[in-house]
Amino acid sequence: MGSGAFALALALALALALVACVSPAERKCQLSGLWRNEQDSLMEISALTDDGGFQGEYLTRVTLAGGCPRVSPLKGAQQQPREVASPTFAFTVHWDTFSNATTTFTGQCFVDASGREVLSTTWLLREAVGSLEEDWKATRVGRNVFTRKRAPKGKILHSLSPSCEDVASP
């Protein structure tokens, strides 16, 4: 083996040794990417900006009005994007055309003991109501846990969105 090949092999061995020494608790959780929750909804988050801002898309498998879900835009921010291993974040989803509701999520990004990235979130969903007297029933609260879904780079939610043309109109 030539000296260049030996040096490369040694560098790779050292890099693998360093990666193996990093425990899941020391790994940083990265918010960007494709995520799936326990209801089989999908969320794709773009790369974070320097100030922690991000955008993305959300494809829900749950709808309030029984309408055909479409990919909906989301916008949010992550706290201390470069400083902590398990950052907190918040984002809002504007349900696009099939619902009269808006949902805000807040949570934290973790790496569990097995090295899996997890987003633990709590959400508030606000549905429009006709009057102040109905305000009591307008907000719902819930919890979702998202896990990273490995997928090719790029926007893929539109290809996973159901065909609404196939859904019969009431």
CSV table of all heavy atoms in Angstrom, one decimal, residues 10-77:
chain,number,residue,atom,x,y,z
A,10,LEU,N,-5.7,5.5,7.4
A,10,LEU,CA,-5.6,5.9,8.8
A,10,LEU,C,-6.5,7.1,9.2
A,10,LEU,O,-7.2,7.1,10.2
A,10,LEU,CB,-4.1,6.4,9.0
A,10,LEU,CG,-3.8,6.8,10.5
A,10,LEU,CD1,-4.0,5.6,11.4
A,10,LEU,CD2,-2.3,7.3,10.5
A,11,ALA,N,-6.7,8.0,8.3
A,11,ALA,CA,-7.6,9.2,8.5
A,11,ALA,C,-9.1,8.6,8.6
A,11,ALA,O,-9.8,9.1,9.5
A,11,ALA,CB,-7.5,10.2,7.4
A,12,LEU,N,-9.5,7.7,7.8
A,12,LEU,CA,-10.8,7.1,7.8
A,12,LEU,C,-11.0,6.4,9.1
A,12,LEU,O,-12.0,6.5,9.8
A,12,LEU,CB,-11.1,6.2,6.7
A,12,LEU,CG,-11.3,7.0,5.3
A,12,LEU,CD1,-11.4,6.0,4.2
A,12,LEU,CD2,-12.6,7.8,5.4
A,13,ALA,N,-10.0,5.6,9.6
A,13,ALA,CA,-10.1,4.8,10.8
A,13,ALA,C,-10.2,5.8,12.0
A,13,ALA,O,-11.1,5.5,12.9
A,13,ALA,CB,-8.9,3.9,11.0
A,14,LEU,N,-9.5,6.9,12.0
A,14,LEU,CA,-9.6,7.8,13.1
A,14,LEU,C,-11.0,8.5,13.1
A,14,LEU,O,-11.6,8.7,14.2
A,14,LEU,CB,-8.5,8.9,13.0
A,14,LEU,CG,-7.1,8.4,13.4
A,14,LEU,CD1,-6.1,9.5,13.1
A,14,LEU,CD2,-7.0,8.0,14.8
A,15,ALA,N,-11.5,8.9,11.9
A,15,ALA,CA,-12.8,9.5,11.9
A,15,ALA,C,-13.9,8.6,12.4
A,15,ALA,O,-14.8,9.0,13.1
A,15,ALA,CB,-13.1,9.9,10.4
A,16,LEU,N,-13.8,7.3,12.0
A,16,LEU,CA,-14.8,6.3,12.5
A,16,LEU,C,-14.7,6.1,14.0
A,16,LEU,O,-15.7,6.0,14.7
A,16,LEU,CB,-14.6,5.0,11.7
A,16,LEU,CG,-15.1,5.0,10.3
A,16,LEU,CD1,-14.7,3.6,9.6
A,16,LEU,CD2,-16.5,5.2,10.2
A,17,ALA,N,-13.5,6.1,14.5
A,17,ALA,CA,-13.3,6.0,15.9
A,17,ALA,C,-13.9,7.2,16.7
A,17,ALA,O,-14.5,7.0,17.7
A,17,ALA,CB,-11.8,5.9,16.3
A,18,LEU,N,-13.7,8.4,16.1
A,18,LEU,CA,-14.3,9.6,16.8
A,18,LEU,C,-15.8,9.5,16.8
A,18,LEU,O,-16.5,9.9,17.7
A,18,LEU,CB,-13.8,10.8,16.1
A,18,LEU,CG,-12.4,11.2,16.4
A,18,LEU,CD1,-11.9,12.4,15.5
A,18,LEU,CD2,-12.2,11.5,17.8
A,19,VAL,N,-16.4,9.1,15.6
A,19,VAL,CA,-17.9,9.0,15.5
A,19,VAL,C,-18.4,7.9,16.5
A,19,VAL,O,-19.4,8.1,17.2
A,19,VAL,CB,-18.3,8.6,14.1
A,19,VAL,CG1,-19.8,8.2,14.0
A,19,VAL,CG2,-18.0,9.8,13.2
A,20,ALA,N,-17.7,6.8,16.7
A,20,ALA,CA,-18.1,5.8,17.6
A,20,ALA,C,-18.0,6.3,19.0
A,20,ALA,O,-18.7,5.8,19.9
A,20,ALA,CB,-17.2,4.5,17.4
A,21,CYS,N,-17.2,7.2,19.3
A,21,CYS,CA,-17.0,7.7,20.7
A,21,CYS,C,-18.1,8.7,21.1
A,21,CYS,O,-18.2,9.0,22.3
A,21,CYS,CB,-15.6,8.4,20.9
A,21,CYS,SG,-14.3,7.2,20.8
A,22,VAL,N,-18.8,9.2,20.1
A,22,VAL,CA,-19.9,10.2,20.4
A,22,VAL,C,-21.1,9.5,20.8
A,22,VAL,O,-21.7,8.7,20.0
A,22,VAL,CB,-20.1,11.1,19.2
A,22,VAL,CG1,-21.3,12.1,19.5
A,22,VAL,CG2,-18.9,11.9,18.9
A,23,SER,N,-21.6,9.6,22.1
A,23,SER,CA,-22.8,9.0,22.5
A,23,SER,C,-24.0,9.7,21.9
A,23,SER,O,-23.9,10.8,21.5
A,23,SER,CB,-22.9,9.0,24.0
A,23,SER,OG,-23.2,10.3,24.5
A,24,PRO,N,-25.1,8.9,21.8
A,24,PRO,CA,-26.4,9.6,21.3
A,24,PRO,C,-26.7,10.9,22.0
A,24,PRO,O,-27.2,11.8,21.4
A,24,PRO,CB,-27.4,8.5,21.5
A,24,PRO,CG,-26.7,7.2,21.4
A,24,PRO,CD,-25.4,7.5,22.1
A,25,ALA,N,-26.4,10.9,23.3
A,25,ALA,CA,-26.7,12.2,24.1
A,25,ALA,C,-25.9,13.3,23.6
A,25,ALA,O,-26.2,14.5,23.8
A,25,ALA,CB,-26.5,11.9,25.6
A,26,GLU,N,-24.7,13.1,23.1
A,26,GLU,CA,-23.8,14.1,22.6
A,26,GLU,C,-24.0,14.5,21.2
A,26,GLU,O,-23.5,15.6,20.8
A,26,GLU,CB,-22.3,13.7,22.8
A,26,GLU,CG,-21.9,13.4,24.2
A,26,GLU,CD,-20.6,12.7,24.3
A,26,GLU,OE1,-20.3,11.8,23.5
A,26,GLU,OE2,-19.8,13.1,25.2
A,27,ARG,N,-24.8,13.7,20.5
A,27,ARG,CA,-25.1,14.1,19.1
A,27,ARG,C,-26.1,15.2,19.0
A,27,ARG,O,-27.0,15.3,19.8
A,27,ARG,CB,-25.7,12.9,18.3
A,27,ARG,CG,-24.7,11.9,17.8
A,27,ARG,CD,-25.3,10.9,16.9
A,27,ARG,NE,-26.2,11.4,15.9
A,27,ARG,CZ,-27.2,10.8,15.4
A,27,ARG,NH1,-27.5,9.6,15.8
A,27,ARG,NH2,-28.0,11.4,14.5
A,28,LYS,N,-25.9,16.1,18.1
A,28,LYS,CA,-26.9,17.2,17.9
A,28,LYS,C,-28.0,16.7,17.1
A,28,LYS,O,-27.9,16.0,16.1
A,28,LYS,CB,-26.2,18.4,17.2
A,28,LYS,CG,-25.3,19.2,18.1
A,28,LYS,CD,-24.9,20.4,17.5
A,28,LYS,CE,-24.1,21.3,18.4
A,28,LYS,NZ,-23.7,22.6,17.9
A,29,CYS,N,-29.2,17.1,17.5
A,29,CYS,CA,-30.4,16.8,16.8
A,29,CYS,C,-30.6,17.9,15.7
A,29,CYS,O,-30.6,19.1,16.0
A,29,CYS,CB,-31.6,16.8,17.7
A,29,CYS,SG,-33.1,16.1,17.0
A,30,GLN,N,-30.8,17.5,14.5
A,30,GLN,CA,-30.9,18.4,13.3
A,30,GLN,C,-32.4,18.4,12.9
A,30,GLN,O,-33.0,17.4,12.6
A,30,GLN,CB,-30.1,17.9,12.1
A,30,GLN,CG,-28.6,17.8,12.4
A,30,GLN,CD,-28.0,19.1,12.7
A,30,GLN,OE1,-28.3,20.1,12.1
A,30,GLN,NE2,-27.1,19.1,13.7
A,31,LEU,N,-33.0,19.6,13.0
A,31,LEU,CA,-34.4,19.8,12.7
A,31,LEU,C,-34.7,19.6,11.2
A,31,LEU,O,-35.8,19.1,10.9
A,31,LEU,CB,-34.8,21.2,13.2
A,31,LEU,CG,-36.3,21.4,13.4
A,31,LEU,CD1,-36.9,20.5,14.3
A,31,LEU,CD2,-36.5,22.9,13.8
A,32,SER,N,-33.9,20.0,10.3
A,32,SER,CA,-34.2,19.9,8.9
A,32,SER,C,-34.3,18.4,8.4
A,32,SER,O,-33.6,17.6,9.0
A,32,SER,CB,-33.2,20.7,8.1
A,32,SER,OG,-31.9,20.1,8.2
A,33,GLY,N,-35.2,18.2,7.5
A,33,GLY,CA,-35.3,16.9,6.9
A,33,GLY,C,-36.8,16.4,6.9
A,33,GLY,O,-37.7,17.2,7.1
A,34,LEU,N,-37.0,15.2,6.7
A,34,LEU,CA,-38.3,14.6,6.6
A,34,LEU,C,-38.7,13.8,7.9
A,34,LEU,O,-37.9,13.1,8.4
A,34,LEU,CB,-38.4,13.6,5.4
A,34,LEU,CG,-39.7,13.0,5.0
A,34,LEU,CD1,-40.7,14.1,4.6
A,34,LEU,CD2,-39.6,12.0,3.9
A,35,TRP,N,-39.9,14.1,8.4
A,35,TRP,CA,-40.3,13.5,9.7
A,35,TRP,C,-41.7,12.9,9.5
A,35,TRP,O,-42.5,13.3,8.7
A,35,TRP,CB,-40.4,14.6,10.7
A,35,TRP,CG,-39.1,15.3,11.0
A,35,TRP,CD1,-38.6,16.4,10.3
A,35,TRP,CD2,-38.1,14.9,11.9
A,35,TRP,NE1,-37.4,16.7,10.8
A,35,TRP,CE2,-37.1,15.8,11.8
A,35,TRP,CE3,-38.1,13.9,12.9
A,35,TRP,CZ2,-35.9,15.8,12.6
A,35,TRP,CZ3,-37.0,13.9,13.7
A,35,TRP,CH2,-35.9,14.8,13.6
A,36,ARG,N,-42.0,11.8,10.3
A,36,ARG,CA,-43.3,11.1,10.3
A,36,ARG,C,-43.7,11.0,11.8
A,36,ARG,O,-42.9,10.7,12.6
A,36,ARG,CB,-43.2,9.7,9.7
A,36,ARG,CG,-44.5,9.0,9.7
A,36,ARG,CD,-44.3,7.5,9.3
A,36,ARG,NE,-43.6,7.4,8.1
A,36,ARG,CZ,-44.1,7.3,6.9
A,36,ARG,NH1,-45.4,7.3,6.7
A,36,ARG,NH2,-43.4,7.1,5.8
A,37,ASN,N,-45.1,11.3,12.0
A,37,ASN,CA,-45.6,11.1,13.4
A,37,ASN,C,-46.4,9.9,13.5
A,37,ASN,O,-46.5,9.1,12.5
A,37,ASN,CB,-46.4,12.4,13.8
A,37,ASN,CG,-47.7,12.6,13.1
A,37,ASN,OD1,-48.2,11.7,12.5
A,37,ASN,ND2,-48.3,13.8,13.2
A,38,GLU,N,-47.0,9.6,14.7
A,38,GLU,CA,-47.7,8.4,14.9
A,38,GLU,C,-49.0,8.3,14.2
A,38,GLU,O,-49.6,7.2,14.1
A,38,GLU,CB,-47.9,8.2,16.5
A,38,GLU,CG,-48.7,9.3,17.1
A,38,GLU,CD,-47.9,10.6,17.5
A,38,GLU,OE1,-46.8,10.7,17.1
A,38,GLU,OE2,-48.5,11.4,18.3
A,39,GLN,N,-49.5,9.4,13.6
A,39,GLN,CA,-50.7,9.3,12.8
A,39,GLN,C,-50.4,9.2,11.3
A,39,GLN,O,-51.2,9.3,10.4
A,39,GLN,CB,-51.6,10.6,12.9
A,39,GLN,CG,-52.5,10.5,14.1
A,39,GLN,CD,-51.8,10.9,15.4
A,39,GLN,OE1,-50.9,11.8,15.4
A,39,GLN,NE2,-52.1,10.2,16.5
A,40,ASP,N,-49.1,9.0,11.0
A,40,ASP,CA,-48.6,8.8,9.7
A,40,ASP,C,-48.6,10.1,8.8
A,40,ASP,O,-48.5,10.0,7.6
A,40,ASP,CB,-49.4,7.7,8.9
A,40,ASP,CG,-48.5,7.0,7.9
A,40,ASP,OD1,-47.3,6.9,8.0
A,40,ASP,OD2,-49.1,6.5,6.9
A,41,SER,N,-48.7,11.2,9.5
A,41,SER,CA,-48.5,12.5,8.8
A,41,SER,C,-47.0,12.7,8.6
A,41,SER,O,-46.2,12.2,9.3
A,41,SER,CB,-49.1,13.6,9.7
A,41,SER,OG,-50.5,13.5,9.9
A,42,LEU,N,-46.7,13.5,7.5
A,42,LEU,CA,-45.4,13.7,7.1
A,42,LEU,C,-45.1,15.2,7.2
A,42,LEU,O,-46.0,16.0,6.8
A,42,LEU,CB,-45.1,13.2,5.7
A,42,LEU,CG,-45.2,11.7,5.5
A,42,LEU,CD1,-45.1,11.4,4.0
A,42,LEU,CD2,-44.0,11.0,6.3
A,43,MET,N,-43.9,15.6,7.5
A,43,MET,CA,-43.5,17.0,7.6
A,43,MET,C,-42.0,17.0,7.0
A,43,MET,O,-41.2,16.2,7.4
A,43,MET,CB,-43.5,17.4,9.0
A,43,MET,CG,-42.9,18.8,9.3
A,43,MET,SD,-43.1,19.3,11.0
A,43,MET,CE,-42.2,18.0,11.9
A,44,GLU,N,-41.8,18.0,6.1
A,44,GLU,CA,-40.5,18.2,5.6
A,44,GLU,C,-40.1,19.7,5.9
A,44,GLU,O,-40.7,20.6,5.6
A,44,GLU,CB,-40.5,18.1,4.1
A,44,GLU,CG,-39.2,18.0,3.4
A,44,GLU,CD,-39.2,17.6,2.0
A,44,GLU,OE1,-40.3,17.6,1.4
A,44,GLU,OE2,-38.1,17.3,1.4
A,45,ILE,N,-38.9,19.7,6.7
A,45,ILE,CA,-38.4,21.0,7.1
A,45,ILE,C,-37.1,21.4,6.3
A,45,ILE,O,-36.2,20.5,6.2
A,45,ILE,CB,-38.1,21.0,8.6
A,45,ILE,CG1,-39.4,20.8,9.4
A,45,ILE,CG2,-37.4,22.3,9.1
A,45,ILE,CD1,-39.2,20.6,10.9
A,46,SER,N,-37.1,22.6,5.9
A,46,SER,CA,-35.9,23.1,5.1
A,46,SER,C,-34.7,23.3,6.0
A,46,SER,O,-34.9,23.2,7.2
A,46,SER,CB,-36.3,24.4,4.4
A,46,SER,OG,-36.5,25.4,5.4
A,47,ALA,N,-33.6,23.6,5.4
A,47,ALA,CA,-32.4,24.0,6.2
A,47,ALA,C,-32.7,25.2,7.0
A,47,ALA,O,-33.5,26.1,6.5
A,47,ALA,CB,-31.2,24.2,5.3
A,48,LEU,N,-32.1,25.3,8.2
A,48,LEU,CA,-32.3,26.5,9.0
A,48,LEU,C,-31.5,27.7,8.5
A,48,LEU,O,-30.4,27.5,8.0
A,48,LEU,CB,-31.9,26.2,10.4
A,48,LEU,CG,-32.9,25.6,11.3
A,48,LEU,CD1,-33.3,24.2,10.9
A,48,LEU,CD2,-32.4,25.6,12.8
A,49,THR,N,-32.0,28.9,8.7
A,49,THR,CA,-31.3,30.1,8.4
A,49,THR,C,-30.3,30.4,9.6
A,49,THR,O,-30.5,29.7,10.6
A,49,THR,CB,-32.2,31.3,8.1
A,49,THR,OG1,-33.0,31.5,9.3
A,49,THR,CG2,-33.1,31.0,6.9
A,50,ASP,N,-29.4,31.3,9.4
A,50,ASP,CA,-28.5,31.6,10.5
A,50,ASP,C,-29.2,32.1,11.8
A,50,ASP,O,-28.6,31.8,12.9
A,50,ASP,CB,-27.5,32.7,10.0
A,50,ASP,CG,-26.5,32.2,9.0
A,50,ASP,OD1,-26.3,31.0,8.9
A,50,ASP,OD2,-25.9,33.0,8.3
A,51,ASP,N,-30.4,32.7,11.7
A,51,ASP,CA,-31.1,33.1,12.9
A,51,ASP,C,-32.0,32.1,13.4
A,51,ASP,O,-32.8,32.3,14.3
A,51,ASP,CB,-31.8,34.4,12.6
A,51,ASP,CG,-32.9,34.3,11.6
A,51,ASP,OD1,-33.1,33.2,11.0
A,51,ASP,OD2,-33.6,35.3,11.4
A,52,GLY,N,-32.0,30.8,12.8
A,52,GLY,CA,-32.9,29.8,13.3
A,52,GLY,C,-34.2,29.6,12.6
A,52,GLY,O,-35.0,28.7,12.9
A,53,GLY,N,-34.5,30.5,11.7
A,53,GLY,CA,-35.8,30.4,11.0
A,53,GLY,C,-35.8,29.2,10.0
A,53,GLY,O,-34.7,28.7,9.5
A,54,PHE,N,-37.0,28.7,9.7
A,54,PHE,CA,-37.1,27.6,8.7
A,54,PHE,C,-38.5,27.7,8.1
A,54,PHE,O,-39.4,28.3,8.7
A,54,PHE,CB,-36.8,26.3,9.4
A,54,PHE,CG,-37.7,25.9,10.5
A,54,PHE,CD1,-38.9,25.2,10.3
A,54,PHE,CD2,-37.3,26.1,11.8
A,54,PHE,CE1,-39.7,24.8,11.3
A,54,PHE,CE2,-38.1,25.7,12.9
A,54,PHE,CZ,-39.3,25.1,12.6
A,55,GLN,N,-38.6,27.0,7.0
A,55,GLN,CA,-39.9,26.8,6.3
A,55,GLN,C,-40.0,25.3,6.0
A,55,GLN,O,-39.1,24.6,6.1
A,55,GLN,CB,-40.0,27.6,5.0
A,55,GLN,CG,-39.9,29.1,5.3
A,55,GLN,CD,-40.0,29.9,4.0
A,55,GLN,OE1,-40.7,29.5,3.1
A,55,GLN,NE2,-39.2,30.9,3.9
A,56,GLY,N,-41.2,25.0,5.6
A,56,GLY,CA,-41.4,23.6,5.2
A,56,GLY,C,-42.8,23.3,4.7
A,56,GLY,O,-43.5,24.2,4.4
A,57,GLU,N,-43.1,22.0,4.7
A,57,GLU,CA,-44.4,21.6,4.3
A,57,GLU,C,-44.9,20.5,5.2
A,57,GLU,O,-44.1,19.7,5.7
A,57,GLU,CB,-44.3,21.1,2.8
A,57,GLU,CG,-44.0,22.2,1.8
A,57,GLU,CD,-43.9,21.7,0.4
A,57,GLU,OE1,-43.4,20.5,0.2
A,57,GLU,OE2,-44.3,22.4,-0.5
A,58,TYR,N,-46.2,20.4,5.3
A,58,TYR,CA,-46.8,19.4,6.2
A,58,TYR,C,-47.9,18.7,5.4
A,58,TYR,O,-48.8,19.3,4.8
A,58,TYR,CB,-47.4,20.1,7.4
A,58,TYR,CG,-47.7,19.2,8.6
A,58,TYR,CD1,-46.9,19.2,9.7
A,58,TYR,CD2,-48.8,18.3,8.6
A,58,TYR,CE1,-47.1,18.4,10.8
A,58,TYR,CE2,-49.0,17.5,9.7
A,58,TYR,CZ,-48.2,17.5,10.8
A,58,TYR,OH,-48.5,16.7,11.9
A,59,LEU,N,-47.9,17.4,5.4
A,59,LEU,CA,-49.0,16.6,4.8
A,59,LEU,C,-49.7,15.8,5.9
A,59,LEU,O,-49.1,14.8,6.5
A,59,LEU,CB,-48.4,15.6,3.8
A,59,LEU,CG,-49.4,14.6,3.1
A,59,LEU,CD1,-50.5,15.4,2.4
A,59,LEU,CD2,-48.7,13.7,2.2
A,60,THR,N,-50.9,16.2,6.4
A,60,THR,CA,-51.6,15.6,7.5
A,60,THR,C,-52.4,14.4,6.9
A,60,THR,O,-52.8,14.4,5.8
A,60,THR,CB,-52.5,16.5,8.2
A,60,THR,OG1,-53.0,15.9,9.3
A,60,THR,CG2,-53.6,17.1,7.3
A,61,ARG,N,-52.5,13.4,7.8
A,61,ARG,CA,-53.4,12.3,7.5
A,61,ARG,C,-54.7,12.4,8.3
A,61,ARG,O,-55.5,11.5,8.2
A,61,ARG,CB,-52.7,10.9,7.8
A,61,ARG,CG,-51.4,10.7,7.1
A,61,ARG,CD,-51.7,10.5,5.6
A,61,ARG,NE,-50.4,10.1,5.0
A,61,ARG,CZ,-50.2,10.2,3.7
A,61,ARG,NH1,-51.1,10.7,2.9
A,61,ARG,NH2,-49.0,9.8,3.2
A,62,VAL,N,-54.8,13.5,9.0
A,62,VAL,CA,-56.0,13.8,9.9
A,62,VAL,C,-56.6,15.1,9.4
A,62,VAL,O,-55.9,16.1,9.4
A,62,VAL,CB,-55.6,13.8,11.3
A,62,VAL,CG1,-56.8,14.1,12.2
A,62,VAL,CG2,-54.8,12.6,11.8
A,63,THR,N,-57.9,15.1,9.2
A,63,THR,CA,-58.5,16.4,8.8
A,63,THR,C,-59.8,16.6,9.7
A,63,THR,O,-60.4,15.6,10.1
A,63,THR,CB,-59.0,16.4,7.4
A,63,THR,OG1,-60.0,15.4,7.1
A,63,THR,CG2,-57.8,16.2,6.4
A,64,LEU,N,-60.1,17.8,10.0
A,64,LEU,CA,-61.3,18.2,10.8
A,64,LEU,C,-62.5,18.0,10.0
A,64,LEU,O,-63.5,17.5,10.4
A,64,LEU,CB,-61.2,19.6,11.3
A,64,LEU,CG,-60.2,19.9,12.3
A,64,LEU,CD1,-60.2,21.4,12.6
A,64,LEU,CD2,-60.5,19.2,13.6
A,65,ALA,N,-62.5,18.5,8.8
A,65,ALA,CA,-63.7,18.6,8.0
A,65,ALA,C,-63.9,17.4,7.0
A,65,ALA,O,-64.8,17.4,6.2
A,65,ALA,CB,-63.7,19.9,7.1
A,66,GLY,N,-63.0,16.5,7.1
A,66,GLY,CA,-63.1,15.3,6.2
A,66,GLY,C,-62.7,15.6,4.8
A,66,GLY,O,-63.0,14.8,3.9
A,67,GLY,N,-62.1,16.8,4.6
A,67,GLY,CA,-61.7,17.2,3.2
A,67,GLY,C,-60.5,16.5,2.8
A,67,GLY,O,-59.8,15.7,3.6
A,68,CYS,N,-60.1,16.6,1.6
A,68,CYS,CA,-58.9,16.0,1.0
A,68,CYS,C,-57.7,16.8,1.5
A,68,CYS,O,-57.6,17.9,1.1
A,68,CYS,CB,-59.0,15.9,-0.5
A,68,CYS,SG,-57.6,15.1,-1.2
A,69,PRO,N,-56.8,16.2,2.3
A,69,PRO,CA,-55.7,16.9,2.7
A,69,PRO,C,-54.7,17.2,1.6
A,69,PRO,O,-54.5,16.4,0.7
A,69,PRO,CB,-55.0,16.0,3.8
A,69,PRO,CG,-55.5,14.6,3.4
A,69,PRO,CD,-56.8,14.8,2.8
A,70,ARG,N,-54.1,18.4,1.6
A,70,ARG,CA,-53.1,18.7,0.7
A,70,ARG,C,-51.9,19.1,1.4
A,70,ARG,O,-51.9,19.4,2.6
A,70,ARG,CB,-53.6,19.9,-0.2
A,70,ARG,CG,-54.8,19.7,-1.0
A,70,ARG,CD,-55.0,20.9,-1.9
A,70,ARG,NE,-56.3,21.0,-2.6
A,70,ARG,CZ,-56.8,20.1,-3.5
A,70,ARG,NH1,-56.1,19.1,-3.8
A,70,ARG,NH2,-58.0,20.3,-4.0
A,71,VAL,N,-50.8,19.2,0.8
A,71,VAL,CA,-49.5,19.7,1.4
A,71,VAL,C,-49.8,21.1,1.8
A,71,VAL,O,-50.2,22.0,1.0
A,71,VAL,CB,-48.4,19.6,0.4
A,71,VAL,CG1,-47.1,20.2,1.0
A,71,VAL,CG2,-48.1,18.1,0.1
A,72,SER,N,-49.5,21.4,3.1
A,72,SER,CA,-49.7,22.8,3.6
A,72,SER,C,-48.4,23.4,4.1
A,72,SER,O,-47.5,22.7,4.6
A,72,SER,CB,-50.6,22.7,4.8
A,72,SER,OG,-51.9,22.2,4.4
A,73,PRO,N,-48.2,24.7,3.9
A,73,PRO,CA,-47.0,25.4,4.3
A,73,PRO,C,-46.8,25.5,5.8
A,73,PRO,O,-47.8,25.6,6.5
A,73,PRO,CB,-47.1,26.7,3.6
A,73,PRO,CG,-48.6,27.0,3.5
A,73,PRO,CD,-49.2,25.6,3.3
A,74,LEU,N,-45.6,25.4,6.2
A,74,LEU,CA,-45.3,25.7,7.6
A,74,LEU,C,-44.1,26.7,7.7
A,74,LEU,O,-43.3,26.7,6.8
A,74,LEU,CB,-45.0,24.4,8.4
A,74,LEU,CG,-43.7,23.6,8.1
A,74,LEU,CD1,-42.5,24.2,8.8
A,74,LEU,CD2,-43.9,22.2,8.5
A,75,LYS,N,-44.1,27.5,8.8
A,75,LYS,CA,-43.0,28.4,9.1
A,75,LYS,C,-42.7,28.4,10.6
A,75,LYS,O,-43.6,28.2,11.4
A,75,LYS,CB,-43.4,29.8,8.7
A,75,LYS,CG,-43.5,30.1,7.2
A,75,LYS,CD,-43.8,31.5,6.9
A,75,LYS,CE,-44.0,31.7,5.4
A,75,LYS,NZ,-44.2,33.0,5.0
A,76,GLY,N,-41.4,28.5,10.9
A,76,GLY,CA,-41.1,28.4,12.3
A,76,GLY,C,-39.7,28.9,12.6
A,76,GLY,O,-39.0,29.5,11.8
A,77,ALA,N,-39.3,28.7,13.9
A,77,ALA,CA,-38.0,29.1,14.3
A,77,ALA,C,-37.5,28.1,15.4
A,77,ALA,O,-38.3,27.5,16.1
A,77,ALA,CB,-38.1,30.5,15.0
